[in-house]
Amino acid sequence: MKKLALLLALTAFASVSFCQVDTSSVSYVAYWSVGDSYDFKVRKTSMQWSGDSLTKDEVSEYTANFEVIDSTENSYKVLWTYSNELVNTWDIPDEMLSELSKYELNEVIYTTTELGEFTGIENWEELAGMMRSMFNDIFRILAKDSQKDFDRMMQTVQPFMEMFSTKEGIEQMVLPELQLFHFPFGAMIPVGDTIRYEDLLPNLLGGEPIRADAKLWFEEVDFDEERSLLVQESKLNRDDTMAFLKNILNKMGAVGEEFDRTLSEAVYSVDTSNRYDFYYYPGVPVKIDFNRHTRIDVGGEKNRRDDTITIELL
């Protein structure tokens, strides 16, 4: 997620005063040292409906360790160790899970600025290769040795496989919790105001970023405890989301005038609401709640999906 360049620029440490606490704003700066280590519980849920029928109800949970392994004047390097729960979200017989056990544990090495702003995953190519290999194994198992079924599945997920082959795709789709973890860092946010801005999200299919109308405000700030509760809400731009949806469906083989006409009448909306409970000093989240509601109505079919992510300090 892009930082609020016009409103949230931060001059490092400029607002820190040792003689008087500035209560007009909150600055999110990473005050970390090599060896700092924190454990977090990460819980993800996904519910999906077709019409009034619940078609998907998944819950996954894992424990992650955040450890600072290097620090310079301009950056931090972090090791994020976590259990990979992805294989458990597929309807795979228990006796076949052992074949996928090699995908159970992952280590992600990524970097931030000196303020704690996320800058990128260093070992993303390794993760991308693992994801491609894992999906191939999963679909081979689900196809039950039917090459036709395997090819059909691969065609359906081809645009998503392309996303998993890029650095941004790995960062946005495999571990979105890292984007949430580092969202406030590098920002100085005024207390008592609601900030409205246009956010720009990466287009994982390439091309222009996807715009979103967003706003954020503080629900609570405790300057004595150096703790704050920041709320963010956003709604994706309709034109950008419809173009993104059309691109995905085209890659899946949906083309023609009838398809274009149906799509022009479709409804596609994505609304997000996030809450960031942080110790802004030394820069550690206490609890982050992510909630996203997606609605897609196309050609008489009405679908909606609710996704949540919770990151909680242990």
Side-chain angles (χ1 to χ4, degrees):
M1 296 178 223
K2 290 239 179 192
K3 288 292 176 287
L4 320 181
L6 295 178
L7 296 172
L8 307 181
L10 174 65
T11 302
F13 313 123
S15 65
V16 178
S17 171
F18 294 99
C19 58
Q20 183 176 359
V21 176
D22 179 5
T23 60
S24 64
S25 63
V26 172
S27 298
Y28 291 91
V29 176
Y31 297 95
W32 303 332
S33 300
V34 173
D36 284 355
S37 178
Y38 302 94
D39 289 328
F40 295 91
K41 180 174 70 175
V42 181
R43 178 182 172 87
K44 301 180 183 180
T45 71
S46 182
M47 300 180 70
Q48 192 167 319
W49 293 264
S50 179
D52 294 327
S53 300
L54 181 65
T55 59
K56 178 181 180 182
D57 187 1
E58 295 176 351
V59 179
S60 63
E61 187 173 293
Y62 70 89
T63 299
N65 177 256
F66 168 98
E67 182 182 359
V68 179
I69 59 175
D70 194 14
S71 174
T72 71
E73 289 185 0
N74 302 313
S75 67
Y76 291 99
K77 183 178 291 187
V78 176
L79 175 65
W80 180 269
T81 307
Y82 69 104
S83 297
N84 183 358
E85 81 285 359
L86 290 177
V87 296
N88 296 321
T89 67
W90 298 85
D91 186 16
I92 300 173
D94 291 340
E95 61 270 18
M96 294 184 180
L97 285 176
S98 60
E99 189 173 346
L100 301 174
S101 61
K102 58 188 174 182
Y103 304 118
E104 282 297 311
L105 185 66
N106 274 326
E107 290 186 346
V108 174
I109 299 172
Y110 67 93
T111 56
T112 76
T113 68
E114 72 276 16
L115 302 179
E117 300 166 283
F118 182 86
T119 53
I121 293 177
E122 289 198 339
N123 61 331
W124 72 269
E125 291 180 320
E126 176 186 349
L127 293 172
M130 189 210 71
M131 294 298 298
R132 289 193 298 270
S133 178
M134 184 181 74
F135 277 120
N136 272 285
D137 284 350
I138 288 175
F139 292 132
R140 178 176 51 80
I141 293 171
L142 295 179
K144 299 178 180 178
D145 297 324
S146 169
Q147 186 63 41
K148 182 178 180 181
D149 288 345
F150 176 80
D151 291 342
R152 176 179 53 81
M153 291 179 186
M154 293 302 290
Q155 171 66 26
T156 300
V157 300
Q158 183 59 34
F160 303 100
M161 294 287 281
E162 292 179 11
M163 294 180 194
F164 284 122
S165 298
T166 67
K167 183 175 183 291
E168 284 190 335
I170 292 296
E171 292 170 351
Q172 295 288 332
M173 297 184 66
V174 178
L175 286 170
E177 49 266 44
L178 294 185
Q179 305 293 324
L180 293 172
F181 191 105
H182 291 273
F183 169 75
F185 285 105
M188 182 172 67
I189 304 175
V191 175
D193 295 332
T194 297
I195 299 176
R196 303 178 186 274
Y197 63 101
E198 183 180 83
D199 205 354
L200 297 175
L201 289 83
N203 185 335
L204 299 182
L205 294 177
E208 294 296 320
I210 298 174
R211 294 169 293 173
D213 294 323
K215 60 181 179 179
L216 55 81
W217 67 94
F218 284 111
E219 189 170 295
E220 185 178 354
V221 178
D222 188 329
F223 288 99
D224 291 331
E225 295 292 328
E226 296 176 303
R227 183 171 175 176
S228 62
L229 179 56
L230 180 68
V231 181
Q232 180 205 31
E233 293 182 354
S234 68
K235 183 179 184 65
L236 293 190
N237 178 276
R238 170 178 164 77
D239 291 339
D240 290 1
T241 52
M242 293 303 296
F244 181 77
L245 177 62
K246 182 177 181 179
N247 199 355
I248 288 180
L249 295 177
N250 284 341
K251 288 178 177 289
M252 295 170 63
V255 294
E257 292 184 4
E258 182 63 28
F259 165 74
D260 290 340
R261 184 162 48 252
T262 299
L263 192 62
S264 69
E265 300 171 353
V267 174
Y268 181 25
S269 63
V270 182
D271 300 329
T272 302
S273 177
N274 303 328
R275 294 165 63 86
Y276 302 89
D277 184 356
F278 258 78
Y279 284 115
Y280 55 86
Y281 181 88
V284 178
V286 179
K287 187 177 182 182
I288 299 174
D289 288 305
F290 164 89
N291 294 274
R292 181 177 61 208
H293 177 74
T294 305
R295 176 187 172 191
I296 305 178
D297 297 347
V298 181
E301 294 187 9
K302 296 185 177 182
N303 301 276
R304 56 190 174 95
R305 173 171 173 158
D306 289 337
D307 295 285
T308 71
I309 300 175
T310 300
I311 306 170
E312 190 169 4
L313 179 67
L314 294 178

